[in-house]
PDB file of all heavy atoms in Angstrom:
ATOM      1  N   VAL A   1      -9.536  -8.946   2.987  1.00 98.00           N
ATOM      2  CA  VAL A   1     -10.353  -7.918   3.645  1.00 98.00           C
ATOM      3  C   VAL A   1     -11.003  -8.525   4.889  1.00 98.00           C
ATOM      4  O   VAL A   1     -12.023  -9.209   4.797  1.00 98.00           O
ATOM      5  CB  VAL A   1     -11.432  -7.356   2.705  1.00 98.00           C
ATOM      6  CG1 VAL A   1     -12.303  -6.334   3.434  1.00 98.00           C
ATOM      7  CG2 VAL A   1     -10.794  -6.721   1.472  1.00 98.00           C
ATOM      8  N   PRO A   2     -10.414  -8.308   6.077  1.00 97.00           N
ATOM      9  CA  PRO A   2     -11.053  -8.764   7.312  1.00 97.00           C
ATOM     10  C   PRO A   2     -12.230  -7.861   7.657  1.00 97.00           C
ATOM     11  O   PRO A   2     -12.193  -6.651   7.406  1.00 97.00           O
ATOM     12  CB  PRO A   2      -9.936  -8.637   8.353  1.00 97.00           C
ATOM     13  CG  PRO A   2      -9.047  -7.559   7.812  1.00 97.00           C
ATOM     14  CD  PRO A   2      -9.128  -7.650   6.319  1.00 97.00           C
ATOM     15  N   MET A   3     -13.267  -8.454   8.226  1.00 96.00           N
ATOM     16  CA  MET A   3     -14.476  -7.701   8.569  1.00 96.00           C
ATOM     17  C   MET A   3     -14.974  -8.153   9.932  1.00 96.00           C
ATOM     18  O   MET A   3     -15.273  -9.330  10.130  1.00 96.00           O
ATOM     19  CB  MET A   3     -15.576  -7.930   7.533  1.00 96.00           C
ATOM     20  CG  MET A   3     -15.136  -7.801   6.097  1.00 96.00           C
ATOM     21  SD  MET A   3     -16.484  -8.157   4.946  1.00 96.00           S
ATOM     22  CE  MET A   3     -17.402  -6.637   5.058  1.00 96.00           C
ATOM     23  N   ILE A   4     -15.063  -7.215  10.869  1.00 96.00           N
ATOM     24  CA  ILE A   4     -15.597  -7.505  12.194  1.00 96.00           C
ATOM     25  C   ILE A   4     -16.952  -6.820  12.308  1.00 96.00           C
ATOM     26  O   ILE A   4     -17.076  -5.618  12.063  1.00 96.00           O
ATOM     27  CB  ILE A   4     -14.646  -7.007  13.294  1.00 96.00           C
ATOM     28  CG1 ILE A   4     -13.321  -7.778  13.210  1.00 96.00           C
ATOM     29  CG2 ILE A   4     -15.271  -7.157  14.677  1.00 96.00           C
ATOM     30  CD1 ILE A   4     -12.249  -7.244  14.127  1.00 96.00           C
ATOM     31  N   ASP A   5     -17.965  -7.574  12.655  1.00 93.00           N
ATOM     32  CA  ASP A   5     -19.321  -7.046  12.740  1.00 93.00           C
ATOM     33  C   ASP A   5     -19.401  -5.950  13.796  1.00 93.00           C
ATOM     34  O   ASP A   5     -18.979  -6.131  14.934  1.00 93.00           O
ATOM     35  CB  ASP A   5     -20.289  -8.178  13.095  1.00 93.00           C
ATOM     36  CG  ASP A   5     -21.741  -7.808  12.869  1.00 93.00           C
ATOM     37  OD1 ASP A   5     -22.024  -6.617  12.649  1.00 93.00           O
ATOM     38  OD2 ASP A   5     -22.593  -8.709  12.921  1.00 93.00           O
ATOM     39  N   ALA A   6     -19.945  -4.807  13.406  1.00 92.00           N
ATOM     40  CA  ALA A   6     -20.106  -3.683  14.337  1.00 92.00           C
ATOM     41  C   ALA A   6     -21.572  -3.277  14.454  1.00 92.00           C
ATOM     42  O   ALA A   6     -21.894  -2.126  14.675  1.00 92.00           O
ATOM     43  CB  ALA A   6     -19.277  -2.487  13.875  1.00 92.00           C
ATOM     44  N   ARG A   7     -22.463  -4.235  14.249  1.00 85.00           N
ATOM     45  CA  ARG A   7     -23.913  -4.049  14.364  1.00 85.00           C
ATOM     46  C   ARG A   7     -24.485  -3.314  13.156  1.00 85.00           C
ATOM     47  O   ARG A   7     -23.791  -2.585  12.477  1.00 85.00           O
ATOM     48  CB  ARG A   7     -24.295  -3.330  15.657  1.00 85.00           C
ATOM     49  CG  ARG A   7     -23.887  -4.098  16.923  1.00 85.00           C
ATOM     50  CD  ARG A   7     -24.329  -3.354  18.161  1.00 85.00           C
ATOM     51  NE  ARG A   7     -23.905  -4.050  19.369  1.00 85.00           N
ATOM     52  CZ  ARG A   7     -24.127  -3.609  20.607  1.00 85.00           C
ATOM     53  NH1 ARG A   7     -24.772  -2.471  20.795  1.00 85.00           N
ATOM     54  NH2 ARG A   7     -23.701  -4.297  21.650  1.00 85.00           N
ATOM     55  N   ARG A   8     -25.765  -3.512  12.951  1.00 89.00           N
ATOM     56  CA  ARG A   8     -26.487  -2.976  11.803  1.00 89.00           C
ATOM     57  C   ARG A   8     -25.688  -3.268  10.527  1.00 89.00           C
ATOM     58  O   ARG A   8     -25.283  -4.388  10.308  1.00 89.00           O
ATOM     59  CB  ARG A   8     -26.780  -1.491  11.998  1.00 89.00           C
ATOM     60  CG  ARG A   8     -27.684  -1.220  13.212  1.00 89.00           C
ATOM     61  CD  ARG A   8     -28.034   0.264  13.342  1.00 89.00           C
ATOM     62  NE  ARG A   8     -28.923   0.489  14.482  1.00 89.00           N
ATOM     63  CZ  ARG A   8     -28.518   0.692  15.724  1.00 89.00           C
ATOM     64  NH1 ARG A   8     -27.210   0.737  15.998  1.00 89.00           N
ATOM     65  NH2 ARG A   8     -29.384   0.873  16.705  1.00 89.00           N
ATOM     66  N   MET A   9     -25.451  -2.291   9.690  1.00 92.00           N
ATOM     67  CA  MET A   9     -24.708  -2.524   8.454  1.00 92.00           C
ATOM     68  C   MET A   9     -23.281  -2.002   8.536  1.00 92.00           C
ATOM     69  O   MET A   9     -22.641  -1.766   7.509  1.00 92.00           O
ATOM     70  CB  MET A   9     -25.437  -1.875   7.271  1.00 92.00           C
ATOM     71  CG  MET A   9     -26.733  -2.556   6.909  1.00 92.00           C
ATOM     72  SD  MET A   9     -26.535  -4.359   6.629  1.00 92.00           S
ATOM     73  CE  MET A   9     -25.503  -4.365   5.176  1.00 92.00           C
ATOM     74  N   GLU A  10     -22.756  -1.850   9.734  1.00 96.00           N
ATOM     75  CA  GLU A  10     -21.401  -1.343   9.910  1.00 96.00           C
ATOM     76  C   GLU A  10     -20.441  -2.474  10.247  1.00 96.00           C
ATOM     77  O   GLU A  10     -20.812  -3.440  10.931  1.00 96.00           O
ATOM     78  CB  GLU A  10     -21.369  -0.275  11.002  1.00 96.00           C
ATOM     79  CG  GLU A  10     -20.046   0.465  11.087  1.00 96.00           C
ATOM     80  CD  GLU A  10     -20.097   1.641  12.053  1.00 96.00           C
ATOM     81  OE1 GLU A  10     -20.897   1.583  13.008  1.00 96.00           O
ATOM     82  OE2 GLU A  10     -19.341   2.598  11.857  1.00 96.00           O
ATOM     83  N   VAL A  11     -19.219  -2.339   9.779  1.00 96.00           N
ATOM     84  CA  VAL A  11     -18.152  -3.278  10.113  1.00 96.00           C
ATOM     85  C   VAL A  11     -16.883  -2.503  10.434  1.00 96.00           C
ATOM     86  O   VAL A  11     -16.720  -1.348  10.030  1.00 96.00           O
ATOM     87  CB  VAL A  11     -17.860  -4.261   8.951  1.00 96.00           C
ATOM     88  CG1 VAL A  11     -19.033  -5.180   8.699  1.00 96.00           C
ATOM     89  CG2 VAL A  11     -17.453  -3.518   7.681  1.00 96.00           C
ATOM     90  N   TYR A  12     -15.986  -3.154  11.183  1.00 97.00           N
ATOM     91  CA  TYR A  12     -14.611  -2.681  11.309  1.00 97.00           C
ATOM     92  C   TYR A  12     -13.822  -3.457  10.263  1.00 97.00           C
ATOM     93  O   TYR A  12     -13.890  -4.688  10.206  1.00 97.00           O
ATOM     94  CB  TYR A  12     -14.056  -2.961  12.701  1.00 97.00           C
ATOM     95  CG  TYR A  12     -14.857  -2.335  13.818  1.00 97.00           C
ATOM     96  CD1 TYR A  12     -15.342  -3.118  14.872  1.00 97.00           C
ATOM     97  CD2 TYR A  12     -15.127  -0.978  13.831  1.00 97.00           C
ATOM     98  CE1 TYR A  12     -16.074  -2.556  15.900  1.00 97.00           C
ATOM     99  CE2 TYR A  12     -15.867  -0.408  14.856  1.00 97.00           C
ATOM    100  CZ  TYR A  12     -16.334  -1.200  15.889  1.00 97.00           C
ATOM    101  OH  TYR A  12     -17.068  -0.637  16.903  1.00 97.00           O
ATOM    102  N   THR A  13     -13.082  -2.763   9.438  1.00 97.00           N
ATOM    103  CA  THR A  13     -12.475  -3.439   8.303  1.00 97.00           C
ATOM    104  C   THR A  13     -11.157  -2.799   7.891  1.00 97.00           C
ATOM    105  O   THR A  13     -10.783  -1.731   8.392  1.00 97.00           O
ATOM    106  CB  THR A  13     -13.467  -3.444   7.113  1.00 97.00           C
ATOM    107  OG1 THR A  13     -12.962  -4.261   6.061  1.00 97.00           O
ATOM    108  CG2 THR A  13     -13.698  -2.030   6.584  1.00 97.00           C
ATOM    109  N   ALA A  14     -10.465  -3.460   6.996  1.00 98.00           N
ATOM    110  CA  ALA A  14      -9.218  -2.979   6.400  1.00 98.00           C
ATOM    111  C   ALA A  14      -8.967  -3.861   5.189  1.00 98.00           C
ATOM    112  O   ALA A  14      -9.788  -4.728   4.857  1.00 98.00           O
ATOM    113  CB  ALA A  14      -8.064  -3.068   7.393  1.00 98.00           C
ATOM    114  N   ALA A  15      -7.859  -3.648   4.517  1.00 98.00           N
ATOM    115  CA  ALA A  15      -7.472  -4.531   3.410  1.00 98.00           C
ATOM    116  C   ALA A  15      -5.954  -4.667   3.408  1.00 98.00           C
ATOM    117  O   ALA A  15      -5.236  -3.673   3.614  1.00 98.00           O
ATOM    118  CB  ALA A  15      -7.964  -3.977   2.074  1.00 98.00           C
ATOM    119  N   TYR A  16      -5.480  -5.904   3.204  1.00 98.00           N
ATOM    120  CA  TYR A  16      -4.049  -6.188   3.242  1.00 98.00           C
ATOM    121  C   TYR A  16      -3.658  -7.067   2.053  1.00 98.00           C
ATOM    122  O   TYR A  16      -4.459  -7.872   1.566  1.00 98.00           O
ATOM    123  CB  TYR A  16      -3.681  -6.946   4.530  1.00 98.00           C
ATOM    124  CG  TYR A  16      -4.023  -6.226   5.802  1.00 98.00           C
ATOM    125  CD1 TYR A  16      -5.241  -6.452   6.443  1.00 98.00           C
ATOM    126  CD2 TYR A  16      -3.137  -5.329   6.388  1.00 98.00           C
ATOM    127  CE1 TYR A  16      -5.563  -5.798   7.629  1.00 98.00           C
ATOM    128  CE2 TYR A  16      -3.449  -4.668   7.568  1.00 98.00           C
ATOM    129  CZ  TYR A  16      -4.666  -4.906   8.179  1.00 98.00           C
ATOM    130  OH  TYR A  16      -4.985  -4.258   9.354  1.00 98.00           O
ATOM    131  N   ASP A  17      -2.411  -6.914   1.616  1.00 96.00           N
ATOM    132  CA  ASP A  17      -1.867  -7.880   0.666  1.00 96.00           C
ATOM    133  C   ASP A  17      -1.221  -9.011   1.460  1.00 96.00           C
ATOM    134  O   ASP A  17      -1.281  -9.039   2.692  1.00 96.00           O
ATOM    135  CB  ASP A  17      -0.895  -7.219  -0.312  1.00 96.00           C
ATOM    136  CG  ASP A  17       0.341  -6.628   0.377  1.00 96.00           C
ATOM    137  OD1 ASP A  17       0.650  -6.997   1.532  1.00 96.00           O
ATOM    138  OD2 ASP A  17       1.005  -5.781  -0.252  1.00 96.00           O
ATOM    139  N   PHE A  18      -0.583  -9.946   0.774  1.00 95.00           N
ATOM    140  CA  PHE A  18      -0.036 -11.117   1.461  1.00 95.00           C
ATOM    141  C   PHE A  18       1.244 -10.811   2.227  1.00 95.00           C
ATOM    142  O   PHE A  18       1.784 -11.683   2.915  1.00 95.00           O
ATOM    143  CB  PHE A  18       0.179 -12.259   0.459  1.00 95.00           C
ATOM    144  CG  PHE A  18      -0.989 -13.200   0.388  1.00 95.00           C
ATOM    145  CD1 PHE A  18      -2.248 -12.729   0.063  1.00 95.00           C
ATOM    146  CD2 PHE A  18      -0.835 -14.546   0.661  1.00 95.00           C
ATOM    147  CE1 PHE A  18      -3.331 -13.586  -0.003  1.00 95.00           C
ATOM    148  CE2 PHE A  18      -1.913 -15.417   0.608  1.00 95.00           C
ATOM    149  CZ  PHE A  18      -3.170 -14.936   0.273  1.00 95.00           C
ATOM    150  N   ALA A  19       1.739  -9.600   2.140  1.00 95.00           N
ATOM    151  CA  ALA A  19       2.864  -9.170   2.971  1.00 95.00           C
ATOM    152  C   ALA A  19       2.364  -8.380   4.181  1.00 95.00           C
ATOM    153  O   ALA A  19       3.158  -7.807   4.919  1.00 95.00           O
ATOM    154  CB  ALA A  19       3.834  -8.319   2.151  1.00 95.00           C
ATOM    155  N   LEU A  20       1.044  -8.371   4.365  1.00 95.00           N
ATOM    156  CA  LEU A  20       0.371  -7.616   5.426  1.00 95.00           C
ATOM    157  C   LEU A  20       0.594  -6.112   5.303  1.00 95.00           C
ATOM    158  O   LEU A  20       0.546  -5.386   6.298  1.00 95.00           O
ATOM    159  CB  LEU A  20       0.804  -8.095   6.822  1.00 95.00           C
ATOM    160  CG  LEU A  20       0.038  -9.290   7.387  1.00 95.00           C
ATOM    161  CD1 LEU A  20       0.469  -9.542   8.839  1.00 95.00           C
ATOM    162  CD2 LEU A  20      -1.473  -9.111   7.334  1.00 95.00           C
ATOM    163  N   GLU A  21       0.840  -5.650   4.087  1.00 96.00           N
ATOM    164  CA  GLU A  21       0.892  -4.214   3.830  1.00 96.00           C
ATOM    165  C   GLU A  21      -0.540  -3.710   3.631  1.00 96.00           C
ATOM    166  O   GLU A  21      -1.352  -4.365   2.970  1.00 96.00           O
ATOM    167  CB  GLU A  21       1.729  -3.914   2.587  1.00 96.00           C
ATOM    168  CG  GLU A  21       3.193  -4.281   2.721  1.00 96.00           C
ATOM    169  CD  GLU A  21       3.922  -3.428   3.735  1.00 96.00           C
ATOM    170  OE1 GLU A  21       3.501  -2.260   3.938  1.00 96.00           O
ATOM    171  OE2 GLU A  21       4.900  -3.913   4.332  1.00 96.00           O
ATOM    172  N   GLU A  22      -0.836  -2.542   4.194  1.00 97.00           N
ATOM    173  CA  GLU A  22      -2.195  -2.021   4.113  1.00 97.00           C
ATOM    174  C   GLU A  22      -2.531  -1.555   2.689  1.00 97.00           C
ATOM    175  O   GLU A  22      -1.817  -0.752   2.106  1.00 97.00           O
ATOM    176  CB  GLU A  22      -2.377  -0.841   5.078  1.00 97.00           C
ATOM    177  CG  GLU A  22      -2.382  -1.249   6.533  1.00 97.00           C
ATOM    178  CD  GLU A  22      -2.606  -0.056   7.453  1.00 97.00           C
ATOM    179  OE1 GLU A  22      -2.788   1.073   6.931  1.00 97.00           O
ATOM    180  OE2 GLU A  22      -2.599  -0.248   8.681  1.00 97.00           O
ATOM    181  N   VAL A  23      -3.611  -2.077   2.157  1.00 96.00           N
ATOM    182  CA  VAL A  23      -4.174  -1.599   0.896  1.00 96.00           C
ATOM    183  C   VAL A  23      -5.304  -0.615   1.197  1.00 96.00           C
ATOM    184  O   VAL A  23      -5.545   0.313   0.439  1.00 96.00           O
ATOM    185  CB  VAL A  23      -4.690  -2.780   0.052  1.00 96.00           C
ATOM    186  CG1 VAL A  23      -5.307  -2.290  -1.259  1.00 96.00           C
ATOM    187  CG2 VAL A  23      -3.570  -3.787  -0.221  1.00 96.00           C
ATOM    188  N   MET A  24      -5.959  -0.833   2.319  1.00 97.00           N
ATOM    189  CA  MET A  24      -6.975   0.088   2.836  1.00 97.00           C
ATOM    190  C   MET A  24      -6.780   0.187   4.341  1.00 97.00           C
ATOM    191  O   MET A  24      -6.640  -0.829   5.020  1.00 97.00           O
ATOM    192  CB  MET A  24      -8.387  -0.410   2.516  1.00 97.00           C
ATOM    193  CG  MET A  24      -9.495   0.556   2.911  1.00 97.00           C
ATOM    194  SD  MET A  24     -11.138  -0.019   2.374  1.00 97.00           S
ATOM    195  CE  MET A  24     -11.481  -1.236   3.647  1.00 97.00           C
ATOM    196  N   THR A  25      -6.712   1.398   4.863  1.00 96.00           N
ATOM    197  CA  THR A  25      -6.428   1.578   6.286  1.00 96.00           C
ATOM    198  C   THR A  25      -7.578   1.062   7.147  1.00 96.00           C
ATOM    199  O   THR A  25      -8.738   1.093   6.728  1.00 96.00           O
ATOM    200  CB  THR A  25      -6.187   3.061   6.612  1.00 96.00           C
ATOM    201  OG1 THR A  25      -7.352   3.814   6.234  1.00 96.00           O
ATOM    202  CG2 THR A  25      -4.976   3.587   5.865  1.00 96.00           C
ATOM    203  N   PRO A  26      -7.287   0.571   8.357  1.00 97.00           N
ATOM    204  CA  PRO A  26      -8.344   0.128   9.268  1.00 97.00           C
ATOM    205  C   PRO A  26      -9.324   1.257   9.560  1.00 97.00           C
ATOM    206  O   PRO A  26      -8.918   2.392   9.819  1.00 97.00           O
ATOM    207  CB  PRO A  26      -7.569  -0.277  10.527  1.00 97.00           C
ATOM    208  CG  PRO A  26      -6.201  -0.628  10.034  1.00 97.00           C
ATOM    209  CD  PRO A  26      -5.936   0.324   8.903  1.00 97.00           C
ATOM    210  N   GLN A  27     -10.622   0.925   9.532  1.00 96.00           N
ATOM    211  CA  GLN A  27     -11.654   1.942   9.689  1.00 96.00           C
ATOM    212  C   GLN A  27     -13.010   1.307   9.955  1.00 96.00           C
ATOM    213  O   GLN A  27     -13.255   0.170   9.561  1.00 96.00           O
ATOM    214  CB  GLN A  27     -11.750   2.786   8.421  1.00 96.00           C
ATOM    215  CG  GLN A  27     -12.106   1.984   7.173  1.00 96.00           C
ATOM    216  CD  GLN A  27     -11.995   2.790   5.905  1.00 96.00           C
ATOM    217  OE1 GLN A  27     -12.927   3.491   5.530  1.00 96.00           O
ATOM    218  NE2 GLN A  27     -10.828   2.696   5.246  1.00 96.00           N
ATOM    219  N   PRO A  28     -13.909   2.051  10.607  1.00 96.00           N
ATOM    220  CA  PRO A  28     -15.306   1.616  10.646  1.00 96.00           C
ATOM    221  C   PRO A  28     -15.945   1.987   9.309  1.00 96.00           C
ATOM    222  O   PRO A  28     -15.674   3.048   8.756  1.00 96.00           O
ATOM    223  CB  PRO A  28     -15.898   2.417  11.803  1.00 96.00           C
ATOM    224  CG  PRO A  28     -15.041   3.628  11.901  1.00 96.00           C
ATOM    225  CD  PRO A  28     -13.666   3.245  11.425  1.00 96.00           C
ATOM    226  N   LEU A  29     -16.791   1.111   8.786  1.00 96.00           N
ATOM    227  CA  LEU A  29     -17.350   1.336   7.450  1.00 96.00           C
ATOM    228  C   LEU A  29     -18.792   0.841   7.395  1.00 96.00           C
ATOM    229  O   LEU A  29     -19.086  -0.285   7.815  1.00 96.00           O
ATOM    230  CB  LEU A  29     -16.511   0.578   6.419  1.00 96.00           C
ATOM    231  CG  LEU A  29     -16.882   0.744   4.948  1.00 96.00           C
ATOM    232  CD1 LEU A  29     -16.599   2.167   4.487  1.00 96.00           C
ATOM    233  CD2 LEU A  29     -16.100  -0.261   4.096  1.00 96.00           C
ATOM    234  N   ILE A  30     -19.677   1.681   6.889  1.00 95.00           N
ATOM    235  CA  ILE A  30     -21.058   1.282   6.655  1.00 95.00           C
ATOM    236  C   ILE A  30     -21.141   0.657   5.268  1.00 95.00           C
ATOM    237  O   ILE A  30     -20.768   1.265   4.276  1.00 95.00           O
ATOM    238  CB  ILE A  30     -22.015   2.480   6.776  1.00 95.00           C
ATOM    239  CG1 ILE A  30     -21.978   3.026   8.216  1.00 95.00           C
ATOM    240  CG2 ILE A  30     -23.442   2.082   6.400  1.00 95.00           C
ATOM    241  CD1 ILE A  30     -22.791   4.270   8.424  1.00 95.00           C
ATOM    242  N   LEU A  31     -21.635  -0.568   5.217  1.00 95.00           N
ATOM    243  CA  LEU A  31     -21.609  -1.330   3.978  1.00 95.00           C
ATOM    244  C   LEU A  31     -22.670  -0.874   2.986  1.00 95.00           C
ATOM    245  O   LEU A  31     -23.831  -0.675   3.344  1.00 95.00           O
ATOM    246  CB  LEU A  31     -21.817  -2.810   4.281  1.00 95.00           C
ATOM    247  CG  LEU A  31     -20.716  -3.503   5.098  1.00 95.00           C
ATOM    248  CD1 LEU A  31     -21.134  -4.925   5.441  1.00 95.00           C
ATOM    249  CD2 LEU A  31     -19.398  -3.503   4.340  1.00 95.00           C
ATOM    250  N   ASP A  32     -22.244  -0.716   1.744  1.00 94.00           N
ATOM    251  CA  ASP A  32     -23.162  -0.536   0.625  1.00 94.00           C
ATOM    252  C   ASP A  32     -22.474  -1.069  -0.620  1.00 94.00           C
ATOM    253  O   ASP A  32     -21.362  -1.619  -0.548  1.00 94.00           O
ATOM    254  CB  ASP A  32     -23.592   0.926   0.466  1.00 94.00           C
ATOM    255  CG  ASP A  32     -22.429   1.878   0.222  1.00 94.00           C
ATOM    256  OD1 ASP A  32     -21.449   1.465  -0.435  1.00 94.00           O
ATOM    257  OD2 ASP A  32     -22.486   3.028   0.685  1.00 94.00           O
ATOM    258  N   SER A  33     -23.088  -0.925  -1.763  1.00 92.00           N
ATOM    259  CA  SER A  33     -22.555  -1.511  -2.991  1.00 92.00           C
ATOM    260  C   SER A  33     -21.213  -0.914  -3.406  1.00 92.00           C
ATOM    261  O   SER A  33     -20.459  -1.527  -4.159  1.00 92.00           O
ATOM    262  CB  SER A  33     -23.563  -1.349  -4.129  1.00 92.00           C
ATOM    263  OG  SER A  33     -23.833   0.024  -4.363  1.00 92.00           O
TER     264      SER A  33
END
């Protein structure tokens, strides 16, 4: 899960397996539990 800081509690993120297949599509996301 790569995470690029987008200020405050938001990040640009996605999720990939080891074949670089998307498990979660790239998106801006406000972090919570």
Side-chain angles (χ1 to χ4, degrees):
V1 178
M3 312 178 77
I4 296 172
D5 194 348
R7 299 182 182 178
R8 298 183 178 87
M9 290 307 294
E10 190 173 28
V11 294
Y12 302 126
T13 188
Y16 301 93
D17 63 18
F18 266 58
L20 274 187
E21 295 293 332
E22 289 182 2
V23 179
M24 185 175 79
T25 58
Q27 60 189 275
L29 183 67
I30 297 175
L31 295 174
D32 60 34
S33 60

